[in-house]
Amino acid sequence: MERPKTMKDMQTDVDKYISQFKEGYFSPLAMLARMTEELGELSREVNHHYGEKPKKSTEEEKAIEDELGDMLFVLICFANSLNIDLEEAHDRVMEKFSTRDKDRWTRIEE
């Protein structure tokens, strides 16, 4: 059985893909615009599935999973373009949540 991909694996996969092209990564501002665009597409799908706005009969069906995948790809591109290790960023934010915010919400009783 193949081991699950780590975030480092995903960052490497994306970097190998982007490295094939002369253009390389977009600028940080362009990357932010792309992320905003993808977030809008995700928002639209979530609204269709869980909100009050049904799809038009002419609109194609897109999966929330696919839109999250698009968001993840752009996020990884953004991180790679700025030489940010997302595993390290994740560890820092989890440490913050487990210390600063440890008593912020009501815990489920064991």
Side-chain angles (χ1 to χ4, degrees), residues 59-94:
E59 289 181 286
E60 71 177 82
E61 189 66 29
K62 292 184 179 177
I64 291 173
E65 181 179 329
D66 293 339
E67 297 302 337
L68 283 169
D70 290 345
M71 283 286 303
L72 181 59
F73 178 80
V74 175
L75 178 66
I76 292 171
C77 285
F78 204 172
N80 284 356
S81 74
L82 298 173
N83 296 312
I84 293 171
D85 181 319
L86 285 171
E87 285 185 1
E88 289 177 12
H90 169 267
D91 291 346
R92 282 198 305 275
V93 77
M94 291 307 295

Side-chain angles (χ1 to χ4, degrees), residues 6-63:
T6 65
M7 183 56 70
K8 283 189 191 316
D9 294 335
M10 288 186 257
Q11 285 192 256
T12 299
D13 287 350
V14 169
D15 196 57
K16 284 180 183 176
Y17 175 75
I18 296 296
S19 294
Q20 302 176 81
F21 308 106
K22 290 180 183 179
E23 294 81 3
Y25 291 105
F26 294 153
S27 69
L29 194 54
M31 204 75 73
L32 184 60
R34 281 204 60 210
M35 191 177 300
T36 302
E37 178 185 338
E38 294 299 345
L39 180 59
E41 292 176 15
L42 173 61
S43 298
R44 185 175 183 84
E45 287 307 308
V46 170
N47 196 21
H48 288 320
H49 286 273
Y50 301 104
E52 290 72 38
K53 186 178 180 187
K55 268 193 187 296
K56 296 175 187 171
S57 59
T58 57
E59 289 181 286
E60 71 177 82
E61 189 66 29
K62 292 184 179 177

